[in-house]
Amino acid sequence: MPALTLGLGCAAKTGAEASGEAGGAQPTATGATGATGSTGATGSTGATGSTGATGSTGATGSTGAKLDLPRPEIGRPEFDRRPTCPTMSWCVAPDVAAKVAVDDARTAEGCPTAVTGERGIPSRAPGPDGKKPEVENLMGDPAYSDLMLRSRVGAVQIDIATSQARREQGSTDACCYSWTTPCPGGRAFMDAEQQPVLAVTRAGQGWSEGSFTLEASPAALREAAKQWLADAAMEHASVASFSRVALELMGLGAPAELLAGTHRAALDEVRHAQTCMAIARACGAAALEPGPMSVTGPRPARFDRFAADTFIEGCVGETIAALAVQRAAKRCGSPALRAALERIAADEAKHAALAWRSVGWAMQQDPEAVRAALVARAEAFAASLDESMPDAHPELGEELAALGRLSPAQLHAARSDAWYGIVRPMLREMGVDA
């Protein structure tokens, strides 16, 4: 498989060639990088081949009015947040889950549909007498430690697939809840606390498109189904992420090319979510679809804020996603699955290139402020590169690979390779030393 290219003059080598994994000399950017000084981004729009338009794509000359916006305060927390990537599941009996159910949670199969992941006990609504009921302090109870001390996403939704799997294994009343604070890898919809927001999952088939025939052991199919459902949820959230970015671009007076590319990317993510859901179904997942999602409007209209968020969500996240999916496709056992993943990888590469062009345009408008914001975000991400997750199912590695899944170690390598092979060289070509 050829090296992943974004049409920006940098390429990430696959496998052991990638220096981020091997620890050797780091690659340097070659050719036109699409970002020079403070003039914005230029170059082609996507991956190699026919995945994107060619020609001049960047923002040059007078592509938008320069707004008089506040400069960043160096060291401000919104630029210094360190991205992490824990994924946890919490499976307990219904009576245990009931003690931490959110106030408006419904019940499904005897389980609260949502529990709180915040430290401490959730605030209960006052009773008829106006007094809040007394609740037991559960902070010291080992049964709740994973939820209360490791979850940072507020309300945690019930994980239907994991609950069903546990019940099939003999835990007839298991209530399972899962949450993910992903490493950048795909464009997440982040809240004000830099936590990902996902839609509630419900029964339905409206978000499944495609047909796949996949074979593996029951254990491998079950684990792959869970992971593909999680990817479908993230891809669905990416639709909201790009939609919000379109509004933010309009608020900043962005050129038409960036707005058009952002709307096309949102439609790509619809297809990605449908594909991931179809793959999950082929692995044996129940008929599920994303339901309501808590969305927020545009964030503050500042070039430094926009560039910093676009860098993490797009330049970093989409580059990692493209490289990871490309590597996953290479090991697929099904030709149809391999082709589907290759299409997704090409789309994610285009999205990454779009993000770089957007950052280049923002830097053109306010070079000093944007450069400072990028330095802070880049340093925070670089500090997180050594974070990895244990492999919960090493015995299923080969089967999961054939089903399009990478191991935690392979995902970690993709993050490192994308950083050293593409992202950091691109930053340096833009005059950002990170």
Side-chain angles (χ1 to χ4, degrees), residues 111-301:
C111 303
T113 54
V115 296
T116 181
E118 298 174 351
R119 293 178 182 271
I121 306 302
S123 175
R124 304 293 182 175
D129 58 358
K131 297 181 179 180
K132 291 185 177 180
E134 294 184 4
V135 293
E136 180 182 0
N137 185 352
L138 303 175
M139 283 300 297
D141 190 330
Y144 298 90
S145 61
D146 279 345
L147 178 72
M148 292 189 168
L149 299 179
R150 301 189 187 186
S151 173
R152 296 292 186 272
V153 296
V156 179
Q157 305 295 326
I158 190 168
D159 184 332
I160 297 176
T162 301
S163 298
Q164 290 176 340
R166 287 296 185 96
R167 295 184 182 201
E168 291 172 1
Q169 294 170 1
S171 300
T172 57
D173 60 350
C175 301
C176 295
Y177 305 84
S178 296
W179 61 91
T180 303
T181 303
C183 313
R187 188 155 198 153
F189 185 88
M190 310 298 280
D191 64 15
E193 299 300 319
Q194 293 296 305
Q195 298 292 341
V197 179
L198 301 176
V200 175
T201 302
R202 65 188 180 192
Q205 303 183 52
W207 278 80
S208 180
E209 187 72 32
S211 178
F212 303 90
T213 300
L214 304 175
E215 297 182 357
S217 68
L221 287 171
R222 185 181 299 113
E223 178 61 22
K226 177 181 175 181
Q227 294 184 26
W228 281 115
L229 285 173
D231 279 3
M234 292 299 295
E235 298 284 7
H236 174 264
S238 293
V239 181
S241 181
F242 276 113
S243 298
R244 180 170 64 180
V245 168
L247 293 175
E248 294 173 348
L249 283 167
M250 293 194 72
L252 291 170
E257 182 270 332
L258 296 181
L259 279 165
T262 299
H263 283 291
R264 286 193 295 268
L267 293 175
D268 290 341
E269 300 294 4
V270 171
R271 293 191 296 273
H272 298 176
Q274 292 172 319
T275 298
C276 292
M277 195 65 75
I279 298 171
R281 290 291 308 278
C283 292
L288 301 172
E289 66 180 17
M293 177 178 171
S294 177
V295 295
T296 55
R299 294 162 290 190

Side-chain angles (χ1 to χ4, degrees), residues 78-91:
E78 66 188 86
F79 292 142
D80 293 343
R81 295 190 186 279
R82 176 174 171 167
T84 54
C85 47
T87 299
M88 298 291 298
S89 289
W90 185 61
C91 294

